[in-house]
Amino acid sequence: MPDTVTLPKTEYEYLHRIAERYELLQNAVREDFFEEPSVRDTGEIIATFKKSERYNKAFLQSLSRGLRESSFLKKSNKQ
């Protein structure tokens, strides 16, 4: 059985781009995903988002609700 495979250049480029994206994602998850957050105070988190002036009121309300319901932050605040 031959050790080489012949692909059209466009197919090779497509597969190569997918492999690069996968590697980037894998590195990001490996490095940052399980890192402890530096801030656990939900009020401080919301204030920082609000101060940036990048997010609308609906998003900030949704974020606030999500942070209040976060089991990770609840667990962290008890420690």
Side-chain angles (χ1 to χ4, degrees), residues 26-70:
Q26 187 179 33
N27 289 337
V29 168
R30 187 181 308 124
E31 294 171 11
D32 299 330
F33 191 73
F34 295 107
E35 186 173 317
E36 291 289 323
S38 59
V39 176
R40 294 176 184 224
D41 177 19
T42 57
E44 186 177 342
I45 294 168
I46 296 298
T48 302
F49 273 77
K50 200 178 283 187
K51 188 170 42 172
S52 76
E53 299 181 355
R54 294 181 180 183
Y55 306 97
N56 65 32
K57 187 176 181 178
F59 174 82
L60 293 171
Q61 288 173 339
S62 176
L63 177 63
S64 179
R65 186 174 47 255
L67 291 172
R68 280 194 312 271
E69 296 172 2
S70 165

Side-chain angles (χ1 to χ4, degrees), residues 15-31:
L15 293 172
H16 187 68
R17 282 194 310 271
I18 289 174
E20 286 177 333
R21 290 179 194 151
Y22 177 77
E23 189 174 340
L24 287 172
L25 181 61
Q26 187 179 33
N27 289 337
V29 168
R30 187 181 308 124
E31 294 171 11

